Amino acid sequence: MSLKQTPSQTIGPFFSYGLTPEQSNYPNLSSLSTNSLLTGSTIGEEIRLEGRIFDGAGDIVSDAMIEIWQTDAEGRYPDQQSSGKTNSNFSGFGRCDTGVDSQNKYIFETIKPGQIDTETAPHINVTIFMRGLLLHVFTRIYFSDEGRSNSADAVLSTVPFDRQKTLIAKKVAGVTPVTYVFDVFLQGENETVFFDI
Amino acid sequence: MLKSQFTARDWGSNPKYLSPSYKSTILRSPTKPLIPLKQTLSEITGPVFGHHSIKPLDNDLTQNGITDGREPLGERIIVSGKVIDEKGRPQRSTLIEIWQCNSAGRYIHSNDQHNAPLDPNFFGGGRCMTDENGYYKFYTIKPAAYPWGNHPNAWRPAHIHFSLFGPAYATRLITQSYFPGDPLLELDPIFMATPKSSRNLLIKQFSIGASEEGFALGYNFDFILRGPNATPMEN
């Protein structure tokens, strides 16, 4: 006999003073996690990950919270279930409020994740919450410069080929730090792939 | 090494993405079917928050927003309960974050334009970790209903927002908890978007036992998260 799961409800428009207080300029609370996963002693290639979220009318969503969960540069999660040990000083988790940036981008400073195994390309797990989403959506970010491992990825290969591009962040040429852009489309021709996990 | 996958999201318990009476869903809900993902290490692991990250007043919203030495206005309440999985197993040391409006129905958020007064001594945000038996407790001020623009004369029933992690990326939950007997519930398109059979899981229960004599009334609210699947996966 199983109990029913507590239903999800929308995060609503006013989450930021509780969930992203420092980033959103509410100094009463400290932030438990921010949009920078770098600690100064994090090992790996530092990257900037940014993008915007578009609704079905093509408008940019300015009141979303986006969370990321990723391995360290060696493909290890900082979690008891993970078989290996991660290097210390890397939480693997970040949070960003799209209402802060003047163009309503989400921006993360992190490291490029490593590869967990040969069937898993480097990727970042993404959870998105916003007013109008009664239930959060899950997606994944892969990297445009990882073509070989992307083509061997067990999850990406289950996605119809013409939609796989919605899961691949594009590397921006010639900028420092190395920057990848990943826009999210909630609806429309290029609707991002969302997973039932 | 064997690791457990988690049971599926309960689609009979959760609201659908598109619920047109809640207008914001119309342009923000995915239109294509979700793609099934066989859980991997990425989904069965999750962020860890230590007890050290929580400060003593973080779970007491009657105290953590005081700026002029006086307590916030409104009715003090206690909201407590436990976090369990679908088999009733306690979820220990998991982070719970809350946010809410004040006793006049106004959020401190700068985008809230409702012309009810702010309370200089109420912030409305807090958090705690569940204990080793999965229990949590918050002290706060009872939030009020407030109007919103979804439809003419639309009012949100009083509610507290809750954010939980559970043991894995797959068990993440953000929800709202309402108050028993509220006549606004059946008029609220967000609450009503939830399947009828699971709406009661979003309503606190008044509990004289959880009340503290001479101080505050108590409400109980439990969370039921996705649990490990019976079949472990081979790594």
Side-chain angles (χ1 to χ4, degrees):
Chain A
M1 183 65 190
S2 285
L3 302 167
K4 285 179 89 75
Q5 294 166 16
T6 303
S8 171
Q9 297 273 272
T10 179
I11 195 172
F14 302 135
F15 60 84
S16 59
Y17 67 89
L19 299 183
T20 56
E22 287 177 34
Q23 186 202 4
S24 307
N25 294 313
Y26 293 96
N28 291 51
L29 272 182
S30 58
S31 285
L32 297 181
S33 43
T34 70
N35 63 332
S36 178
L37 285 71
L38 304 177
T39 60
S41 56
T42 308
I43 298 164
E45 181 191 9
E46 294 186 8
I47 63 168
R48 179 181 160 105
L49 177 66
E50 63 175 50
R52 293 170 296 177
I53 302 173
F54 294 89
D55 73 10
D59 291 328
I60 297 166
V61 174
S62 63
D63 57 2
M65 182 173 82
I66 181 163
E67 291 180 345
I68 62 171
W69 171 237
Q70 65 166 95
T71 68
D72 66 13
E74 296 167 7
R76 292 166 173 170
Y77 285 106
D79 180 285
Q80 302 95 322
Q81 292 245 40
S82 190
S83 49
K85 283 186 180 165
T86 177
N87 69 66
S88 57
N89 294 317
F90 189 67
S91 71
F93 181 75
R95 237 181 207 178
C96 189
D97 164 14
T98 67
V100 176
D101 176 68
S102 62
Q103 297 174 52
N104 297 123
K105 287 179 184 171
Y106 72 83
I107 299 165
F108 288 102
E109 296 172 342
T110 184
I111 53 167
K112 195 168 180 191
Q115 196 160 1
I116 297 171
D117 55 42
T118 55
E119 288 187 352
T120 310
H123 67 278
I124 292 177
N125 310 286
V126 177
T127 316
I128 302 172
F129 306 86
M130 68 183 78
R131 170 178 63 84
L133 270 184
L134 287 158
L135 186 61
H136 52 274
V137 288
F138 292 116
T139 188
R140 281 186 174 198
I141 296 175
Y142 292 88
F143 297 91
S144 62
D145 54 351
E146 297 284 347
R148 184 185 296 233
S149 51
N150 288 348
S151 57
D153 186 85
V155 170
L156 205 49
S157 65
T158 65
V159 175
F161 184 75
D162 62 336
R163 297 191 68 199
Q164 290 183 10
K165 63 180 185 296
T166 73
L167 297 175
I168 297 173
K170 292 188 182 69
K171 189 173 187 174
V172 181
V175 296
T176 308
V178 172
T179 298
Y180 294 87
V181 174
F182 182 83
D183 289 331
V184 174
F185 296 89
L186 294 164
Q187 300 181 349
E189 195 182 341
N190 296 314
E191 182 172 320
T192 301
V193 166
F194 300 112
F195 290 107
D196 183 11
I197 70 171
Chain B
M1 182 175 174
L2 294 172
K3 301 182 181 67
S4 289
Q5 295 186 324
F6 287 84
T7 55
R9 282 206 268 191
D10 185 347
W11 297 104
S13 181
N14 277 296
K16 290 186 168 58
Y17 285 111
L18 179 62
S19 297
S21 57
Y22 173 26
K23 285 188 180 157
S24 296
T25 67
I26 294 171
L27 289 173
R28 292 183 164 195
S29 52
T31 63
K32 293 183 164 59
L34 302 185
I35 293 193
L37 188 155
K38 189 168 173 247
Q39 292 168 22
T40 70
L41 201 58
S42 296
E43 290 75 35
I44 66 170
T45 55
V48 176
F49 300 92
H51 285 270
H52 64 272
S53 54
I54 306 295
K55 289 190 286 218
L57 290 181
D58 278 1
N59 75 330
D60 187 349
L61 285 67
T62 72
Q63 297 291 320
N64 72 12
I66 292 178
T67 60
D68 70 7
R70 289 179 294 187
E71 295 206 7
L73 296 175
E75 180 189 348
R76 284 189 295 252
I77 59 170
I78 297 159
V79 180
S80 59
K82 61 184 188 292
V83 183
I84 54 177
D85 71 12
E86 295 154 289
K87 298 293 184 193
R89 289 169 289 216
Q91 305 295 297
R92 53 184 62 93
S93 298
T94 194
L95 176 66
I96 305 183
E97 297 163 284
I98 69 171
W99 69 103
Q100 63 167 83
C101 65
N102 67 22
S103 62
R106 178 78 184 269
Y107 287 89
I108 205 166
H109 194 287
S110 57
N111 288 350
D112 186 1
Q113 298 298 306
H114 179 34
N115 67 351
L118 284 166
D119 184 334
N121 297 306
F122 188 74
F123 178 65
R127 58 217 178 186
C128 71
M129 307 282 289
T130 57
D131 69 14
E132 60 184 21
N133 297 309
Y135 284 90
Y136 75 92
K137 183 189 273 191
F138 287 100
Y139 293 89
T140 188
I141 297 293
K142 195 173 186 181
Y146 57 84
W148 62 311
N150 189 70
H151 58 273
N153 205 14
W155 293 80
R156 290 299 330 277
H159 60 276
I160 299 174
H161 295 265
F162 280 86
S163 164
L164 292 89
F165 282 85
Y169 173 77
T171 55
R172 190 84 173 88
L173 173 70
I174 286 185
T175 191
Q176 302 181 25
S177 125
Y178 303 93
F179 288 86
D182 191 333
L184 290 173
L185 287 172
E186 65 180 37
L187 301 173
D188 180 50
I190 294 178
F191 175 74
M192 294 299 282
T194 311
K196 191 174 183 181
S197 61
S198 58
R199 286 177 199 154
N200 63 323
L201 296 173
L202 295 174
I203 301 174
K204 297 176 201 59
Q205 290 184 318
F206 170 69
S207 169
I208 194 69
S211 304
E212 292 185 13
E213 186 172 358
F215 182 70
L217 294 178
Y219 291 87
N220 187 70
F221 193 76
D222 293 341
F223 296 91
I224 302 152
L225 303 181
R226 297 166 67 175
N229 229 334
T231 319
M233 74 184 231
E234 189 97 32
N235 187 27

